[in-house]
């Protein structure tokens, strides 16, 4: 049983990265603000945290990221303008962005890595457990991935994060775990290594950007020295955490789109459009018109 109160769970969303894989689109616009259909990527991530019942959400931003704060703030002039024209659905869409919880912002002033970004949240997370949601991943499924992790956390009272099997050729892009399987997709973590070369990887189970941590992690993160690429790696602090407590990982149910690169962004956009009753017929017509060999079936993006 957990000794922590999950109702005080806070979420940390690192959103300070440059987005170099999406240049030039991300030259002057935060990568987290790229739209997937009518919402920016980060809204999906904040919505996932809110859907898991998390009320306090801290976004770790950096220079050139002010559009993120504006997005989740009130826009009274725009709202009054739309209301005067009777565009109520636009007003609703606008308001929905301001009702996702209490948002806090802190800046990571230097690009010292994911671990360093998460460490900026320490004054907010204090001695409580916290969730981390990486802004590059959109996860679609019946139950939010963060909710799935919280369910495990409530049972085990220990840190748990999402994993997924990836092709052998891709293991060097992820934190890779070695585990003891416990059934139902849950594993106890034996070891974790950040982006191992393919021939050194102990498995093809890759860390995906959703985590719930006990407060034990933060002091370990504060002591973590720069690792791969000279950056303070979250994975290195997690490896140290294993020496103090049991840590679990979960093969979650849902489809993950890595929207931090062009192919993943395209996949997310098409999949979500195919799952949208309004857009699906139009998408089919477009694919047919451009001679796609395989027209998407309605709801094709709703794979689980
Ligand atoms: C980060 C983490 C890595 C994890 C990945 C998931 O890497 O460092 O352990 O597997 O996110 O997307 P990044 O993608 O930021 O290079």
């Amino acid at each position: 049983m957990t000794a922590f109160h999950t109702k005080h769970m806070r979420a940390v969303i690192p959103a300070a990265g440059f987005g170099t894989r999406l240049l030039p689109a991300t030259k002057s616009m935060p990568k987290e603000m790229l739209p997937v259909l009518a919402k920016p990527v980060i809204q999906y991530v904040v919505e996932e945290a809110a859907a898991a019942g998390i009320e306090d959400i801290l976004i770790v931003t950096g220079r050139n990221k002010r559009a993120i704060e504006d997005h989740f703030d009130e826009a009274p002039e725009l709202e009054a303008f739309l209301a005067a024209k009777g565009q109520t659905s636009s007003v609703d869409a606008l308001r929905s962005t301001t009702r996702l919880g209490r948002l806090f912002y802190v800046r990571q002033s230097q690009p010292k890595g994911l671990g360093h970004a998460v460490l900026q949240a320490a004054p907010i997370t204090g001695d409580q457990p916290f969730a981390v949601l990486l802004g590059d991943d959109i996860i679609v499924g019946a139950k939010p991935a963060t909710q799935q992790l919280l369910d495990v956390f409530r049972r085990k009272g220990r840190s748990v994060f999402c994993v997924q099997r990836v092709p052998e050729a891709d293991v060097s892009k992820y934190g890779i775990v070695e585990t003891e399987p416990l059934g139902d997709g849950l594993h106890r973590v034996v070891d974790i290594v950040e982006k191992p070369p393919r021939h050194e990887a102990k498995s093809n189970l890759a860390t995906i950007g959703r985590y719930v941590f006990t407060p034990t992690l933060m002091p370990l993160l504060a002591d973590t020295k720069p690792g791969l690429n000279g950056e303070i790696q979250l994975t290195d602090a997690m490896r140290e955490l294993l020496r103090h407590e049991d840590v679990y990982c979960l093969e979650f149910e849902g489809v993950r789109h890595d929207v931090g690169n062009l192919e993943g962004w395209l996949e997310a956009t098409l999949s979500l459009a195919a799952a949208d009753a309004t857009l699906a017929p139009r998408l089919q017509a477009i694919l047919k018109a451009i001679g796609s060999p395989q027209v998407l079936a309605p709801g094709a993006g709703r794979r689980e």
Side-chain angles (χ1 to χ4, degrees), residues 12-68:
V12 178
I13 303 180
F18 285 133
T20 48
R21 290 180 290 169
L22 286 164
L23 284 169
T26 51
K27 185 180 171 194
S28 65
M29 182 176 78
K31 63 173 174 168
E32 294 80 9
M33 289 303 294
L34 281 180
V36 171
L37 303 186
K39 290 191 278 192
V41 168
I42 196 162
Q43 189 174 335
Y44 291 91
V45 180
V46 170
E47 283 176 352
E48 183 188 318
I54 299 178
E55 293 172 3
D56 291 333
I57 298 170
L58 175 77
I59 303 182
V60 184
T61 68
R63 279 187 287 285
N64 298 328
K65 299 278 186 172
R66 272 174 300 188
I68 296 176

Side-chain angles (χ1 to χ4, degrees), residues 21 114 134 136-137 173-175 194-195 207-209 211 233 235 256:
R21 290 180 290 169
L114 176 61
L134 301 192
D136 276 353
D137 289 326
K173 296 178 185 166
Y174 297 94
E194 179 69 1
K195 303 190 175 117
T207 309
I208 299 303
Y211 314 76
Q233 298 289 349
T235 299
R256 169 242 181 187

Side-chain angles (χ1 to χ4, degrees), residues 5-154:
H5 296 292
T6 50
K7 69 178 171 140
H8 297 311
M9 178 79 58
R10 292 172 176 129
V12 178
I13 303 180
F18 285 133
T20 48
R21 290 180 290 169
L22 286 164
L23 284 169
T26 51
K27 185 180 171 194
S28 65
M29 182 176 78
K31 63 173 174 168
E32 294 80 9
M33 289 303 294
L34 281 180
V36 171
L37 303 186
K39 290 191 278 192
V41 168
I42 196 162
Q43 189 174 335
Y44 291 91
V45 180
V46 170
E47 283 176 352
E48 183 188 318
I54 299 178
E55 293 172 3
D56 291 333
I57 298 170
L58 175 77
I59 303 182
V60 184
T61 68
R63 279 187 287 285
N64 298 328
K65 299 278 186 172
R66 272 174 300 188
I68 296 176
E69 291 182 46
D70 291 341
H71 181 72
F72 293 108
D73 198 1
E74 306 275 342
E77 294 85 4
L78 184 53
E79 197 173 314
F81 174 80
L82 294 169
K85 290 182 148 215
Q87 295 182 8
T88 46
S89 62
S90 298
V91 171
D92 290 346
L94 205 56
R95 284 187 187 158
S96 69
T97 64
T98 64
R99 295 178 177 163
L100 295 167
R102 275 185 298 266
L103 269 69
F104 301 85
Y105 299 91
V106 64
R107 274 194 183 202
Q108 182 193 23
S109 305
Q110 293 163 303
K112 289 187 179 173
L114 176 61
H116 182 256
V118 172
L119 189 57
Q120 306 312 302
I124 294 278
T125 60
D127 60 359
Q128 291 299 313
F130 58 98
V132 174
L133 294 84
L134 301 192
D136 276 353
D137 289 326
I138 292 180
I139 300 180
V140 185
K143 194 181 214 182
T146 299
Q147 182 68 60
Q148 294 176 44
L149 292 182
L150 288 180
D151 291 347
V152 174
F153 181 78
R154 283 193 187 99

